[in-house]
Amino acid sequence: MHSTRPPRAETWYLRLASYHIGYGDLSSAQEVLEQVLKISPGHIPARAMVGQIHLRKERVADALALAALMQKEAPRSAAGFQLEGDALFARKDFARAATAYQKAAALAPSGLMLSRIHQSLASEIGRAHAELQ
């Protein structure tokens, strides 16, 4: 039997935020995500999207602070570790990014995390090789 339960408001807001991000309207996306966080203050997908907006705006320190908060409040979620890895990668701290991605992969194994671990380690090896030249 088909469920008639309406979708949660958070789901609609996340879709709207994704739409704004897709069109490069990061300010509108952030406003929409703030609405989600008013409804559900600890909403992990909304926080992760806010973190990605921080990174697109080159606010790496804000992304790292949010990642630390997410890890503290939801230590069994991979999202905080993934955001930390993304922020560290943006900072070109490839070895630490790989470690964060490994923690995320341990919590929620995925091809994406394996790919990011590989990319981080390859970037670190590339940097070390360049320094030897």
Side-chain angles (χ1 to χ4, degrees):
M1 179 165 203
H2 181 31
S3 172
T4 59
R5 185 178 70 87
R8 294 176 50 116
E10 295 94 330
T11 302
W12 288 106
Y13 280 125
L14 289 177
R15 287 181 184 161
L16 182 57
S18 293
Y19 171 82
H20 287 303
I21 290 169
Y23 282 96
D25 187 356
L26 301 180
S27 296
S28 293
Q30 192 149 4
E31 289 174 17
V32 170
L33 292 168
E34 288 171 9
Q35 293 300 314
V36 175
L37 294 171
K38 283 181 186 175
I39 296 167
S40 298
H43 195 270
I44 292 170
R47 282 186 168 176
M49 288 178 81
V50 168
Q52 292 304 318
I53 290 171
H54 288 326
L55 292 176
R56 289 181 84 175
K57 291 182 174 182
E58 298 181 6
R59 295 186 347 218
V60 176
D62 290 340
L64 283 169
L66 181 57
L69 177 65
M70 291 170 68
Q71 291 169 12
K72 179 181 177 188
E73 291 183 355
R76 292 191 177 120
S77 171
F81 295 102
Q82 179 178 341
L83 179 56
E84 179 186 15
D86 292 345
L88 292 168
F89 193 91
R91 198 179 260 179
K92 299 192 185 322
D93 189 346
F94 303 123
R96 289 180 55 211
T99 300
Y101 290 141
Q102 288 169 342
K103 290 177 184 176
L107 292 167
S110 72
L112 175 64
M113 284 304 97
L114 293 177
S115 174
R116 289 190 178 171
I117 292 165
H118 173 75
Q119 184 180 14
S120 297
L121 294 174
S123 296
E124 182 63 25
I125 291 168
R127 180 199 349 244
H129 181 71
E131 289 174 2
L132 292 174
Q133 298 286 321

